[in-house]
Amino acid sequence: MNKYLVTVRVGGQLVKTAVFADSTIHAKLLCQYKYGMNSIAVSPVRVDEAEDDSTLLDSTIKPKPPATPAQARINSLKQGVERSREQLHAERERQRQQREAERRRKQQQQRF
């Protein structure tokens, strides 16, 4: 068995944990089984037994405080702008392709 260091998402926060497994895939599967399918933030990394890896687990990850309602509203509006921009781009591309297909169809009709 090898020791792997995995960063998983638990309750919205990132947590580092050690897993003993035969391979990287096995460590990933164990974490997915225990914490959920989309919980792995950083893939498992093998840790050598000779190293003193206690410092790897001791470092804390400071969580972000929840956004205030005003900040959440601004973030929501920014995301809405991005979605609208992507939809506009997709619609322009669709219309361009439609015009191109119509032009090709007319050219083929003129040939015959």
Side-chain angles (χ1 to χ4, degrees), residues 4-5 7-8 16 20 24 44-45 51 57 66-67 72 74 78 80 86-87 89-90 92 109-110:
Y4 292 89
L5 183 66
T7 304
V8 293
K16 290 182 181 180
F20 290 92
T24 305
V45 177
E51 294 179 13
L57 292 175
I74 289 173
K78 284 180 182 178
E86 289 172 4
Q87 289 173 349
H89 178 71
R92 284 181 176 162
Q109 286 177 351
Q110 290 175 355

Side-chain angles (χ1 to χ4, degrees), residues 35-55:
Y35 299 107
M37 287 303 291
N38 295 325
S39 63
I40 298 177
V42 178
S43 295
V45 177
R46 186 174 174 190
V47 179
D48 292 331
E49 296 296 326
E51 294 179 13
D52 180 26
D53 58 349
S54 61
T55 58

